[in-house]
Amino acid sequence: MKDKRLKMIQKIKENQPFSDCYLQTVDPWAISEKLLKDNPDMPLKVAKAMTFSMISHEYTRLVINEEHKEQEQNIENIVDGEGLYEEIQ
């Protein structure tokens, strides 16, 4: 299992966002299995629905964080904060 993950991680491009790496490496069946192990009375369909909901929630959170950081970097590149501070004083 670890060998499989290492091969997958090696295929990932260096400049690829972590959110994309997450989607490529997350194992939905392992999450469903864990849910079913912890909740033996849970129907399989519910476990699958919860799994994909958790994966999409985490992916959304990662994408929002990455986009926010990218926007901050773009603003910092455009605006010279020190130059503006000196002009104001």
Side-chain angles (χ1 to χ4, degrees), residues 3 23 28 35 38 43 48 53-54 68 71-73 75:
D3 293 335
L23 274 185
L35 284 171
D38 292 346
K48 287 181 180 180
S53 174
M54 290 187 295
H68 181 71
Q71 288 177 355
E72 284 181 349
Q73 289 174 350
I75 290 171

Side-chain angles (χ1 to χ4, degrees):
M1 182 73 159
K2 288 183 181 181
D3 293 335
K4 184 179 178 182
R5 279 201 178 156
L6 287 175
K7 288 178 184 177
M8 289 174 67
I9 291 172
Q10 289 172 352
K11 290 180 183 178
I12 296 171
K13 297 177 185 175
E14 290 182 22
N15 295 331
Q16 189 175 18
F18 181 73
S19 58
D20 293 340
C21 298
Y22 169 77
L23 274 185
Q24 292 175 4
T25 58
V26 70
D27 184 0
W29 305 118
I31 297 170
S32 294
E33 188 176 318
K34 172 72 170 138
L35 284 171
L36 290 171
K37 182 180 177 186
D38 292 346
N39 306 287
D41 296 335
M42 180 183 290
L44 178 60
K45 190 172 184 176
V46 173
K48 287 181 180 180
M50 287 178 66
T51 297
F52 290 110
S53 174
M54 290 187 295
I55 291 170
S56 64
H57 176 269
E58 185 64 19
Y59 176 71
T60 302
R61 189 185 66 77
L62 290 169
V63 169
I64 289 170
N65 288 343
E66 290 168 356
E67 289 299 316
H68 181 71
K69 287 179 184 178
E70 186 177 317
Q71 288 177 355
E72 284 181 349
Q73 289 174 350
N74 289 341
I75 290 171
E76 288 175 3
N77 290 339
I78 293 171
V79 178
D80 178 17
E82 292 178 15
L84 289 175
Y85 180 76
E86 291 173 4
E87 288 179 22
I88 292 172
Q89 290 186 347

